[in-house]
Amino acid sequence: MKILLVTRGSQGDIYPYLTIAAALVKRGHKVILNLPQIFEKEAQAYQLDYVLQDFDDIQGMVSKAGDKDEGAKPYLKWMRDVIDAQFKQLVPLLKEHDVLIATNSEFAAASVADYCGKPFIRTAFAPFIPGRRIPPPIFPYPKPHPVFTPRLIWKLLNIGNNYMTQKTINKNRVQLGLKPLKNCGYYSTERAFNYMLYSRYLGNTDSDWKYKWDIGGYCFNDALHYDADAYQELLDFIQREQRPVIFFTLGSCSAKESDAFCRRLINVCRQLSFRLIIGSGWSGTGKSLENEKDIFLLTHTIPHSLIFPHCDAVMHHGGSGTTHSVARSGKPQIIMPLIIDQPYWAYRVQQLELGPKCIKIGKVSDKALKEKVNDLVTNPVYRKNATKVAGQMRDEHSVDNFCDFIESMADKI
């Protein structure tokens, strides 16, 4: 088959697609990967055929996501510009391929598949399917609510989605000779086969989902190239003493309070006689603290699979990729959610008792922070549950699951 893969976002969105593309090529398929410009080196390292996205400011958008002063206007303009660029770029690409596979954030994908008359597989790293039981993963309060039921929240989200995208999508559909859509919010879910790229043992599914869907697990990328010297320095730090080590990162996100939070976390770790690794990420979290005692500032990209097994616990932003990586390592975790699906994963970690209730990075008191960090590292319940989930996830064979499913589409082409 000739397969077109389209994804954008941070490392947790791109790295699984690199793994999937490489596996499909190994199976003998012709694959083109459409990805953000900042990940070109990674695509080259995998020796993949790729096309860089025409409109690409994803790093800037993600790094600003935790800054409330930015508001929604920059994101709204960015999204509409992306939709226009996708119609222009993806139509000629898909005409040369048999099937389109794209993440749920690619709002033009369903209409592009319509115009080209090709099958469309929509992937998601959280339960982004409207239903009765699970609220939208981007909803900041994922707990059950007597008034704001999941169905109501999905309807409200649909209204917002239509406001953000419908005018731009329909403008492009009309230009292509397609009928305008009355409801863009649900159209991609209805048009596509929805494949959940997260673990059934970590996320959940809704038995009332009426759309076509399957779930196969998060496709980990353990083959990333990394700086061996930087990794050895990290191991030397970890193995230097027997005291517990915590890994802290905000991944691709930033927050105004991040540096202040790092200082507070350092003080807490010293009081508890813990050591701390700070994963700097895109936004440079903790860079001003690199000379602090008992702290290791990680500025290089090293696969989580090589780091987390050596740590005693992980504190992070709650991206799907990081949440799954910690869970697979069998380590307790606590999440400090900032944007998108991070509150959902924070709630799942709490529900599964893989770690304490989430931390609000700008609101938690020093006393509460100390209690949570100590509980995270010392509570045997978290370790026991994390070990169980890790064993389940390691048996999922997620990449093979997805590749098998893609190949099953051959009968429909």
PDB file of all heavy atoms in Angstrom, residues 190-203:
ATOM      1  N   GLU A 190     -17.163  10.872  12.483  1.00  0.00           N
ATOM      2  CA  GLU A 190     -18.151  10.092  11.733  1.00  0.00           C
ATOM      3  C   GLU A 190     -17.561   9.529  10.442  1.00  0.00           C
ATOM      4  O   GLU A 190     -17.842   8.399  10.055  1.00  0.00           O
ATOM      5  CB  GLU A 190     -19.360  10.973  11.405  1.00  0.00           C
ATOM      6  CG  GLU A 190     -20.151  11.420  12.629  1.00  0.00           C
ATOM      7  CD  GLU A 190     -21.153  12.506  12.296  1.00  0.00           C
ATOM      8  OE1 GLU A 190     -21.066  13.078  11.180  1.00  0.00           O
ATOM      9  OE2 GLU A 190     -22.012  12.794  13.151  1.00  0.00           O
ATOM     10  N   ARG A 191     -16.737  10.314   9.770  1.00  0.00           N
ATOM     11  CA  ARG A 191     -16.201   9.951   8.454  1.00  0.00           C
ATOM     12  C   ARG A 191     -15.112   8.886   8.560  1.00  0.00           C
ATOM     13  O   ARG A 191     -14.940   8.054   7.668  1.00  0.00           O
ATOM     14  CB  ARG A 191     -15.641  11.218   7.792  1.00  0.00           C
ATOM     15  CG  ARG A 191     -14.738  11.021   6.578  1.00  0.00           C
ATOM     16  CD  ARG A 191     -15.510  10.493   5.384  1.00  0.00           C
ATOM     17  NE  ARG A 191     -14.698  10.515   4.173  1.00  0.00           N
ATOM     18  CZ  ARG A 191     -13.793   9.626   3.833  1.00  0.00           C
ATOM     19  NH1 ARG A 191     -13.513   8.621   4.652  1.00  0.00           N
ATOM     20  NH2 ARG A 191     -13.144   9.712   2.680  1.00  0.00           N
ATOM     21  N   ALA A 192     -14.348   8.902   9.649  1.00  0.00           N
ATOM     22  CA  ALA A 192     -13.134   8.086   9.760  1.00  0.00           C
ATOM     23  C   ALA A 192     -13.377   6.780  10.509  1.00  0.00           C
ATOM     24  O   ALA A 192     -14.414   6.577  11.146  1.00  0.00           O
ATOM     25  CB  ALA A 192     -12.048   8.882  10.484  1.00  0.00           C
ATOM     26  N   PHE A 193     -12.368   5.907  10.431  1.00  0.00           N
ATOM     27  CA  PHE A 193     -12.248   4.832  11.406  1.00  0.00           C
ATOM     28  C   PHE A 193     -11.313   5.368  12.485  1.00  0.00           C
ATOM     29  O   PHE A 193     -10.185   5.767  12.200  1.00  0.00           O
ATOM     30  CB  PHE A 193     -11.689   3.551  10.799  1.00  0.00           C
ATOM     31  CG  PHE A 193     -11.923   2.368  11.687  1.00  0.00           C
ATOM     32  CD1 PHE A 193     -12.907   1.440  11.384  1.00  0.00           C
ATOM     33  CD2 PHE A 193     -11.191   2.196  12.856  1.00  0.00           C
ATOM     34  CE1 PHE A 193     -13.149   0.349  12.231  1.00  0.00           C
ATOM     35  CE2 PHE A 193     -11.422   1.124  13.702  1.00  0.00           C
ATOM     36  CZ  PHE A 193     -12.407   0.192  13.389  1.00  0.00           C
ATOM     37  N   ASN A 194     -11.792   5.406  13.723  1.00  0.00           N
ATOM     38  CA  ASN A 194     -11.058   6.029  14.831  1.00  0.00           C
ATOM     39  C   ASN A 194     -10.217   4.974  15.549  1.00  0.00           C
ATOM     40  O   ASN A 194     -10.755   4.004  16.092  1.00  0.00           O
ATOM     41  CB  ASN A 194     -12.045   6.662  15.807  1.00  0.00           C
ATOM     42  CG  ASN A 194     -12.909   7.708  15.143  1.00  0.00           C
ATOM     43  OD1 ASN A 194     -12.498   8.848  14.987  1.00  0.00           O
ATOM     44  ND2 ASN A 194     -14.113   7.313  14.727  1.00  0.00           N
ATOM     45  N   TYR A 195      -8.911   5.188  15.540  1.00  0.00           N
ATOM     46  CA  TYR A 195      -8.001   4.231  16.170  1.00  0.00           C
ATOM     47  C   TYR A 195      -7.331   4.917  17.356  1.00  0.00           C
ATOM     48  O   TYR A 195      -6.645   5.937  17.204  1.00  0.00           O
ATOM     49  CB  TYR A 195      -6.948   3.744  15.182  1.00  0.00           C
ATOM     50  CG  TYR A 195      -6.229   2.502  15.650  1.00  0.00           C
ATOM     51  CD1 TYR A 195      -6.697   1.233  15.315  1.00  0.00           C
ATOM     52  CD2 TYR A 195      -5.097   2.584  16.447  1.00  0.00           C
ATOM     53  CE1 TYR A 195      -6.063   0.078  15.756  1.00  0.00           C
ATOM     54  CE2 TYR A 195      -4.449   1.444  16.887  1.00  0.00           C
ATOM     55  CZ  TYR A 195      -4.934   0.189  16.538  1.00  0.00           C
ATOM     56  OH  TYR A 195      -4.302  -0.943  16.987  1.00  0.00           O
ATOM     57  N   MET A 196      -7.543   4.347  18.554  1.00  0.00           N
ATOM     58  CA  MET A 196      -7.022   4.936  19.778  1.00  0.00           C
ATOM     59  C   MET A 196      -5.588   4.470  20.028  1.00  0.00           C
ATOM     60  O   MET A 196      -5.341   3.283  20.272  1.00  0.00           O
ATOM     61  CB  MET A 196      -7.897   4.557  20.974  1.00  0.00           C
ATOM     62  CG  MET A 196      -9.385   4.885  20.810  1.00  0.00           C
ATOM     63  SD  MET A 196      -9.726   6.660  20.817  1.00  0.00           S
ATOM     64  CE  MET A 196      -9.869   6.989  19.056  1.00  0.00           C
ATOM     65  N   LEU A 197      -4.659   5.407  19.938  1.00  0.00           N
ATOM     66  CA  LEU A 197      -3.250   5.091  20.161  1.00  0.00           C
ATOM     67  C   LEU A 197      -2.873   5.340  21.618  1.00  0.00           C
ATOM     68  O   LEU A 197      -1.950   6.090  21.929  1.00  0.00           O
ATOM     69  CB  LEU A 197      -2.369   5.931  19.225  1.00  0.00           C
ATOM     70  CG  LEU A 197      -2.354   5.507  17.747  1.00  0.00           C
ATOM     71  CD1 LEU A 197      -1.529   6.484  16.920  1.00  0.00           C
ATOM     72  CD2 LEU A 197      -1.795   4.091  17.590  1.00  0.00           C
ATOM     73  N   TYR A 198      -3.622   4.717  22.506  1.00  0.00           N
ATOM     74  CA  TYR A 198      -3.256   4.739  23.923  1.00  0.00           C
ATOM     75  C   TYR A 198      -3.586   3.386  24.528  1.00  0.00           C
ATOM     76  O   TYR A 198      -4.313   2.575  23.933  1.00  0.00           O
ATOM     77  CB  TYR A 198      -3.952   5.882  24.679  1.00  0.00           C
ATOM     78  CG  TYR A 198      -5.459   5.829  24.716  1.00  0.00           C
ATOM     79  CD1 TYR A 198      -6.140   5.101  25.694  1.00  0.00           C
ATOM     80  CD2 TYR A 198      -6.224   6.537  23.785  1.00  0.00           C
ATOM     81  CE1 TYR A 198      -7.523   5.062  25.739  1.00  0.00           C
ATOM     82  CE2 TYR A 198      -7.601   6.505  23.828  1.00  0.00           C
ATOM     83  CZ  TYR A 198      -8.249   5.772  24.804  1.00  0.00           C
ATOM     84  OH  TYR A 198      -9.615   5.746  24.852  1.00  0.00           O
ATOM     85  N   SER A 199      -3.039   3.132  25.696  1.00  0.00           N
ATOM     86  CA  SER A 199      -3.207   1.822  26.323  1.00  0.00           C
ATOM     87  C   SER A 199      -4.579   1.687  26.967  1.00  0.00           C
ATOM     88  O   SER A 199      -5.019   2.577  27.702  1.00  0.00           O
ATOM     89  CB  SER A 199      -2.122   1.596  27.373  1.00  0.00           C
ATOM     90  OG  SER A 199      -2.378   0.417  28.108  1.00  0.00           O
ATOM     91  N   ARG A 200      -5.228   0.562  26.730  1.00  0.00           N
ATOM     92  CA  ARG A 200      -6.512   0.275  27.372  1.00  0.00           C
ATOM     93  C   ARG A 200      -6.326   0.088  28.882  1.00  0.00           C
ATOM     94  O   ARG A 200      -7.304   0.133  29.639  1.00  0.00           O
ATOM     95  CB  ARG A 200      -7.147  -0.972  26.763  1.00  0.00           C
ATOM     96  CG  ARG A 200      -6.386  -2.245  27.021  1.00  0.00           C
ATOM     97  CD  ARG A 200      -7.064  -3.475  26.409  1.00  0.00           C
ATOM     98  NE  ARG A 200      -6.943  -3.492  24.954  1.00  0.00           N
ATOM     99  CZ  ARG A 200      -7.975  -3.373  24.131  1.00  0.00           C
ATOM    100  NH1 ARG A 200      -9.189  -3.215  24.622  1.00  0.00           N
ATOM    101  NH2 ARG A 200      -7.804  -3.428  22.830  1.00  0.00           N
ATOM    102  N   TYR A 201      -5.090  -0.145  29.327  1.00  0.00           N
ATOM    103  CA  TYR A 201      -4.824  -0.328  30.740  1.00  0.00           C
ATOM    104  C   TYR A 201      -4.543   0.991  31.455  1.00  0.00           C
ATOM    105  O   TYR A 201      -4.518   1.031  32.685  1.00  0.00           O
ATOM    106  CB  TYR A 201      -3.636  -1.275  30.934  1.00  0.00           C
ATOM    107  CG  TYR A 201      -3.839  -2.608  30.277  1.00  0.00           C
ATOM    108  CD1 TYR A 201      -3.122  -2.956  29.140  1.00  0.00           C
ATOM    109  CD2 TYR A 201      -4.783  -3.509  30.768  1.00  0.00           C
ATOM    110  CE1 TYR A 201      -3.315  -4.184  28.512  1.00  0.00           C
ATOM    111  CE2 TYR A 201      -4.990  -4.734  30.148  1.00  0.00           C
ATOM    112  CZ  TYR A 201      -4.262  -5.066  29.026  1.00  0.00           C
ATOM    113  OH  TYR A 201      -4.471  -6.270  28.401  1.00  0.00           O
ATOM    114  N   LEU A 202      -4.359   2.047  30.692  1.00  0.00           N
ATOM    115  CA  LEU A 202      -4.073   3.357  31.279  1.00  0.00           C
ATOM    116  C   LEU A 202      -5.225   4.329  31.014  1.00  0.00           C
ATOM    117  O   LEU A 202      -5.696   5.002  31.929  1.00  0.00           O
ATOM    118  CB  LEU A 202      -2.767   3.916  30.702  1.00  0.00           C
ATOM    119  CG  LEU A 202      -2.192   5.159  31.376  1.00  0.00           C
ATOM    120  CD1 LEU A 202      -1.942   4.906  32.861  1.00  0.00           C
ATOM    121  CD2 LEU A 202      -0.883   5.572  30.699  1.00  0.00           C
ATOM    122  N   GLY A 203      -5.676   4.410  29.767  1.00  0.00           N
ATOM    123  CA  GLY A 203      -6.849   5.201  29.439  1.00  0.00           C
ATOM    124  C   GLY A 203      -8.093   4.337  29.514  1.00  0.00           C
ATOM    125  O   GLY A 203      -8.042   3.153  29.845  1.00  0.00           O
TER     126      GLY A 203
END
